[in-house]
Amino acid sequence: MTKPNVIFVLGGPGAGKGTQCAKIVENFGYVHLSAGDLLRAERKAPGSEFGELIEHHITNGTIVPVEITCSLLERAMNESEKNDFLIDGFPRNEDNLTGWNKAMGEKVNLKRVLFFHCSQDVCTERCLARGAAGSGRTDDNEESLRKRFVTYENATMPIIRYYEEKGFVTQIDATRTPEEVYAEVETVLKSL
């Protein structure tokens, strides 16, 4: 079997990663794997050995151990019929990157890193609106968001710089409307 093709989708909370991934799935047939969604599903799974640990990390805005996230991502890829994957919200820190490179680096073909760049103010506004609209996410509140942004700046930005040095990153201005952002995303994907 050929190696799965992977595009990492990174950006702060509320940058529009999920929105853009949905459009890519619809138009390009990729499978969207959200590290956060996989972790939230695992947290709720009856009898999950990781549920309590995941809950602790999500509530505190900290990052779940990489072994757990990688195993959930690998399981999801193996269970899929498709070969093109968007991995959303991962890798988020040095430990994620090292763990991914060790566990999965040789097993996948990394095509691109889409970096949705958006100011903290715009992202916070979007997340609070999402929470108010009933997203059901326990971390769409001001206190969790502050913690998530600190984690993002300190931990995720160095990962984006790492991939930038390797020529994998396409930075996209995510402060624009979803349609404007997607027009640029589409151009990038067509060039792969």
Side-chain angles (χ1 to χ4, degrees):
M1 178 159 155
T2 58
K3 287 183 183 180
N5 295 313
V6 167
I7 295 176
F8 286 137
V9 180
L10 296 172
K17 298 181 297 291
T19 301
Q20 294 303 320
C21 285
K23 291 176 184 289
I24 295 168
V25 167
E26 190 183 324
N27 296 305
F28 288 89
Y30 276 72
V31 175
H32 175 210
L33 299 177
S34 158
D37 287 352
L38 288 171
L39 290 165
R40 283 185 284 275
E42 185 67 22
R43 173 184 69 180
K44 289 183 178 138
S48 164
E49 58 179 310
F50 305 126
E52 223 168 278
L53 180 67
I54 292 169
E55 174 65 34
H56 170 78
H57 284 286
I58 287 176
T59 305
N60 288 296
T62 53
I63 293 170
V64 172
V66 67
E67 296 77 14
I68 296 174
T69 310
C70 280
S71 72
L72 295 177
L73 287 165
E74 185 172 18
R75 183 170 77 195
M77 284 192 272
N78 289 339
E79 287 171 358
S80 173
E81 310 274 304
K82 297 194 177 176
N83 207 44
D84 294 317
F85 298 93
L86 298 168
I87 297 182
D88 165 6
F90 185 90
R92 288 192 177 210
N93 63 9
E94 191 71 42
D95 181 53
N96 276 185
L97 179 64
T98 306
W100 170 266
N101 286 342
K102 195 170 120 192
M104 301 296 295
E106 297 298 311
K107 296 179 186 177
V108 303
N109 178 17
L110 180 63
K111 303 287 281 181
R112 176 90 11 228
V113 176
L114 293 178
F115 168 37
F116 292 100
H117 185 63
C118 193
S119 73
Q120 184 170 339
D121 288 345
V122 171
C123 285
T124 300
E125 205 175 291
R126 288 176 180 172
C127 287
L128 293 175
R130 180 171 73 186
S135 68
R137 290 186 51 164
T138 55
D139 56 358
D140 276 345
N141 63 70
E142 285 201 53
E143 190 185 344
S144 284
L145 284 166
R146 267 195 301 278
K147 291 176 185 172
R148 287 163 68 196
F149 271 105
V150 169
T151 302
Y152 169 70
E153 284 296 330
N154 295 340
T156 309
M157 282 310 296
I159 303 312
I160 291 165
R161 285 192 284 275
Y162 166 85
Y163 282 118
E164 226 161 21
E165 286 166 15
K166 296 187 170 303
F168 279 106
V169 174
T170 299
Q171 180 170 322
I172 294 170
D173 173 7
T175 59
R176 300 170 296 171
T177 68
E179 295 71 29
E180 289 170 320
V181 172
Y182 183 70
E184 189 175 342
V185 167
E186 196 172 39
T187 304
V188 172
L189 283 172
K190 284 179 176 171
S191 73
L192 295 179

